[in-house]
Amino acid sequence: MAALGMLGQRPGSGYDLMKILATTLATVWSASQSQVYTELVNLADAGLIDVVDIGPRGRKVYDLTPAGRTELIRWLVQPADHEPRRDGALLHVVFLGEIPAAEARTYVVAMTDHADAEVLRLCTLRDSYRWPPADDNEMYGRAALEHALRGEATTAEWGRWLIELLDRRLRSAHPPAAAGGEPPPAAG
Amino acid sequence: MAALGMLGQRPGSGYDLMKILATTLATVWSASQSQVYTELVNLADAGLIDVVDIGPRGRKVYDLTPAGRTELIRWLVQPADHEPRRDGALLHVVFLGEIPAAEARTYVVAMTDHADAEVLRLCTLRDSYRWPPADDNEMYGRAALEHALRGEATTAEWGRWLIELLDRRLRSAHPPAAAGGEPPPAAG
DNA sequence: AGAGGCATGTAAGGGGTTACATGATTTC
DNA sequence: GAAATCATGTAACCCCTTACATGCCTCT
């Protein structure tokens, strides 16, 4: 579906689509090189896109057929079916109880740092746009970027919240050496 | 990896793991029934888990082997490699420029409503926990829930931001009928 | 005795990834 | 003419989903 959408904005080759996936779509959708080309063949077989031009190096420029545009619109207006959630980083967090709180803290700090770095990167990207947007497509692209940005910021904030929780737990377990968990080795 | 983590907390059967996936892990990780059972066979073949008990109806209770626990710890402490992003709902948004702003608005409203509903649902779930947590595992499970909750809230907020942006655009396009796009049918 | 839930397993097929394989064109 | 980039295509393999297939146990 991503290929159909990209070709809906402007005709292009598989190589072009790959570049879009690596840049503007990077925060939203990913696909491997091999997948892009197979998908283009499949879409062409289904009559949704067509080769409209052949350039140097065998470059094949695709564009939507009328059927393809119809299908794109049909897909667009129907609400997205809710994909199964899978967040590897969060899965780690769920099982962090298996290791000592100090090590768990390290993990959460790394997660938070990464989220902060992403916020910075996406902010720079966002500020590189001119405002107001030149066209609708650009506006929606920016909106998606904004979503990613806010998501990372939220993760960073959540990380700091969790770190503080862990710190409280560590503080109350070390100097007084009273509350549960394993007792410190040199406690008595 | 999810199976290894779950068995790390307590021994259980495939059926048990499925129930955990459907409830506490639902916001974090998903797997089909068939996948759970194949995964258990694979993990057992790899020597990471073992059948420790057989109950009624052929119920096989698995537990980690020492090698399994080692592997779990190893996996836990290493930072999660960043998975390729794929957000179908956001992909829709990127291409919303293909349809009129009024219809695009409808789509974003549906997205926002869904996020709001999720916030409500997860809030209820969170408040059903006792505070403070009984053990570490429970605390980290709650932290993951909190992450999902904040994520949905952020999406809802973002949705409202985008809706307002669209409304401004719709307002400036309707009464004065001056700015770009297709002119309204009965404009003269 | 029948319903509903517990419990597992397998086969077909789609989608994705990695790696392999090839070659044209531009640029320095 | 060498290097970088443009440009595509294919094969093997893994993961996952859907659907099928089976049977036991408990409760009423």
Side-chain angles (χ1 to χ4, degrees), chain B residues 76-91:
Chain B
L76 261 181
V77 296
Q78 79 175 6
D81 41 321
H82 306 298
E83 295 148 30
R85 290 178 166 283
R86 283 211 158 175
D87 187 326
L90 255 288
L91 191 63

Side-chain angles (χ1 to χ4, degrees), chain A residues 111-133:
Chain A
M111 239 183 111
T112 308
D113 285 348
H114 179 259
D116 277 329
E118 279 297 284
V119 167
L120 223 65
R121 190 178 68 81
L122 296 174
C123 260
T124 309
L125 212 70
R126 180 187 60 178
D127 296 344
S128 75
Y129 279 111
R130 291 178 321 275
W131 198 267

Side-chain angles (χ1 to χ4, degrees), chain A residues 169 180-181, chain B residues 10 129-140 142:
Chain A
R169 189 159 275 231
Chain B
R10 73 184 46 96
Y129 280 109
R130 291 178 321 276
W131 196 266
D135 60 25
D136 275 11
N137 289 337
E138 199 187 326
M139 182 186 70
Y140 290 113
R142 273 188 222 189

Side-chain angles (χ1 to χ4, degrees), chain B residues 100-158:
Chain B
E103 287 178 54
R105 187 186 189 281
T106 304
Y107 181 84
V108 179
V109 167
M111 241 183 110
T112 308
D113 286 348
H114 178 259
D116 277 329
E118 279 297 285
V119 167
L120 223 65
R121 190 177 67 81
L122 296 174
C123 262
T124 310
L125 213 69
R126 181 188 58 178
D127 297 343
S128 75
Y129 280 109
R130 291 178 321 276
W131 196 266
D135 60 25
D136 275 11
N137 289 337
E138 199 187 326
M139 182 186 70
Y140 290 113
R142 273 188 222 189
L145 177 64
E146 183 73 23
H147 186 276
L149 180 52
R150 290 179 183 212
E152 293 290 350
T154 300
T155 294
E157 235 182 276
W158 166 88

